[in-house]
Each structure stands twice: as structure tokens, then as C-alpha cells.
Amino acid sequence: MNSTRPQATSQRLKVRRQLAAAAMELFATKGYEATTVDEIAAAAGVARRTFFRHFRSKEEAIFPDHDDTLVRAESVLDAAPAHENPIDTVCRGIKEVMRMYAASPAVSVQRYKLTREVPALREREIASVARYERLFTRYLLGQFDEHSHNGDQPLLAEVAAGAVVTAHNHVLRRWLRADGHGDVERELDHAFAIVRRTFGTLPAIAAAAPAAVASPRGEVLVTVARTDAPLSEVMRTIEEALHQPQR
């Protein structure tokens, strides 16, 4: 196993967080507009070129963990069990974002206050949120049967992904306004339960598989069951279809 990659990743994240801490302190004391990249780099003890190896702009500097968190969220989606409802998978994926904020409550609260005061930082935060929404939308779209919903799959995937992200952000903002106090994990689970009740039973959100069986009169009967449905449910669906009057 190559140990240099984890070490390099750890060092990279350490420098990014140093720069983020320096940026937040300077923004809070000098103001966002008056703070320069050179000052941020100097306060973090690195060269200007080092700053630009990690961030493209000073507003990006106070969000050092989003790139890595996006990778972790995508890994959750990639490793999802075949039987898991895709909405549940997306809920697990975005929990990586909440864990990022909850790992450093004081820093997260300070950053939240700064983003409320500085429009450029608020725009950067919105751009970060949009990246998660696009990731989850693509994932959910990939779970639909291409022949379902009369071509509305992109709309349904985007709406469902947006609902999960909105629920997460609602709970996150409430927690940040409370200065990082409270059981944010429990509140998040409650919010996700509401989303599941609304979107968790979307038809064909795990491609349905047709099953053909012969009826007692030798006719062919086609019925549909979810690929993640238990065998007992599949058999019940077939049995019910067999007893329906044939046209």
C-alpha cells in the first residue's frame, strides 16, 4: 500500500485549513475588501504561489474542505448497495457535508457569519451547494428506467435531489444560527424522513424488471416488479396478475 498519497492528502488539507483560518481572521478584523491574498498567505506562513496552488481566489479560501467532501459524497454513491433505495443513498451522501461542518463547530459558525455579511462569500457558498445538487441529480437520474415517466425523469431527479439538499441546508442553517449547539444528526434524520415520505416511493427509481410467465390457458402474462423488491413481493405481484381477468 502506498503511504505517500494519504500523507500528501493530509498535508494538502492542513495547508488549505491554515489558509482558511488566516483568511477568516483577516476578513473578520480587516474586512473582506481590504484583505489581500498576499496578507492571507503571509498570515498562514506560506508564499503567494502556494496560496494559488490551493485556491483560485480569496473568497474560495474559506471553504477548504468542499472538494474533499464532494469526493467522499461521490464515494458513498458509488459504493451504494444494490438493494438500497436511491433516495436513502443520497441522504447518506450529503451527510458527509454535515459531518464536515460538525467537525469544527466554532469555525463553521464563524464562516457562516462571514458569508451572511459578504455577498462574494455567499455566492461562493451557493456555488458549492450547486455542485452537490448536480452530483445527486446525476445519480438519481441514473436510477430511473429510461422508459418511465414520459420523459420527465430529469425533472424528477432534479426535484428529488434538490429536496434532499434543501432539507440538509435547512437543518444546517438552524444549527449554525444556534452557534453549533444541538443534536444536528437527529434533526437531519427527521428532515430526511420527511423527504423519504415524499420521494422515497417514486416509481422506477430503481429500474423495474419485467417478468413474463405463462397463464394456465397458455397465454403470456407480463408483470413488473422492482429489482430491489423481496422475492415474496415479486411472487405476490405475479400471483395477483395471474388471477386478474384476461382480456
Side-chain angles (χ1 to χ4, degrees), residues 178-206:
D179 292 332
H181 299 304
D183 189 343
V184 68
E185 187 89 11
R186 183 177 64 83
E187 292 297 324
L188 194 59
D189 286 339
H190 173 70
F192 286 161
I194 294 173
V195 173
R196 287 189 192 97
R197 285 200 296 271
T198 306
F199 294 100
T201 57
L202 275 176
I205 220 173

Side-chain angles (χ1 to χ4, degrees), residues 34-54:
T35 300
T36 67
V37 167
D38 287 336
E39 289 172 328
I40 295 172
V46 301
R48 174 188 173 88
R49 64 179 179 276
T50 301
F51 176 94
F52 285 110
R53 277 205 299 267
H54 292 277

Side-chain angles (χ1 to χ4, degrees), residues 3-246:
S3 62
T4 59
R5 182 180 291 272
Q7 290 173 358
T9 300
S10 177
Q11 180 61 26
R12 169 181 167 276
L13 191 53
K14 179 181 178 182
V15 173
R16 287 170 66 87
R17 287 174 175 169
Q18 287 173 343
L19 287 165
M24 283 195 291
E25 185 174 348
L26 286 167
F27 292 166
T29 55
K30 289 192 63 175
Y32 171 78
E33 295 295 341
T35 300
T36 67
V37 167
D38 287 336
E39 289 172 328
I40 295 172
V46 301
R48 174 188 173 88
R49 64 179 179 276
T50 301
F51 176 94
F52 285 110
R53 277 205 299 267
H54 292 277
F55 302 109
R56 291 185 294 267
S57 62
K58 64 181 183 180
E59 61 265 22
E60 189 178 284
I62 71 163
F63 301 100
D65 298 322
H66 273 303
D67 287 347
D68 295 295
T69 303
L70 188 69
V71 170
R72 291 200 304 275
E74 189 168 13
S75 296
V76 170
L77 306 185
D78 291 342
H83 66 275
E84 184 173 49
N85 187 300
I87 294 293
D88 290 334
T89 305
V90 170
C91 288
R92 288 197 303 110
I94 203 169
K95 273 192 173 183
E96 294 298 324
V97 183
M98 182 62 79
R99 292 188 181 108
M100 175 191 73
Y101 282 93
S104 304
V107 173
S108 297
V109 170
Q110 183 184 4
R111 182 166 52 200
Y112 174 73
K113 291 177 179 178
L114 278 171
T115 57
R116 304 281 70 72
E117 298 168 1
V118 182
L121 299 180
R122 176 60 178 159
E123 290 170 8
R124 173 58 58 181
E125 183 183 47
I126 291 172
S128 296
V129 170
R131 294 170 69 193
Y132 295 109
E133 283 202 32
R134 288 194 296 270
L135 172 66
F136 298 142
T137 298
R138 287 196 305 270
Y139 173 75
L140 289 176
L141 185 57
Q143 308 306 307
F144 282 101
D145 179 348
E146 62 180 293
H147 302 297
S148 66
H149 301 298
N150 300 315
D152 288 331
Q153 302 95 311
L155 171 63
L156 290 169
E158 188 169 350
V159 170
V164 173
V165 173
T166 299
H168 168 273
N169 291 346
H170 176 86
V171 172
L172 175 62
R173 283 193 300 271
R174 191 163 55 189
W175 178 74
L176 291 170
R177 288 171 187 153
D179 292 332
H181 299 304
D183 189 343
V184 68
E185 187 89 11
R186 183 177 64 83
E187 292 297 324
L188 194 59
D189 286 339
H190 173 70
F192 286 161
I194 294 173
V195 173
R196 287 189 192 97
R197 285 200 296 271
T198 306
F199 294 100
T201 57
L202 275 176
I205 220 173
V213 296
S215 73
R217 291 188 296 274
E219 300 166 338
V220 174
L221 177 81
V222 176
T223 185
V224 173
R226 290 168 58 104
T227 56
D228 61 350
L231 180 60
S232 58
E233 182 178 324
V234 175
M235 295 305 295
R236 185 173 65 252
T237 302
I238 294 173
E239 186 175 338
E240 290 173 354
L242 283 170
H243 286 86
Q244 289 179 357
Q246 302 298 308

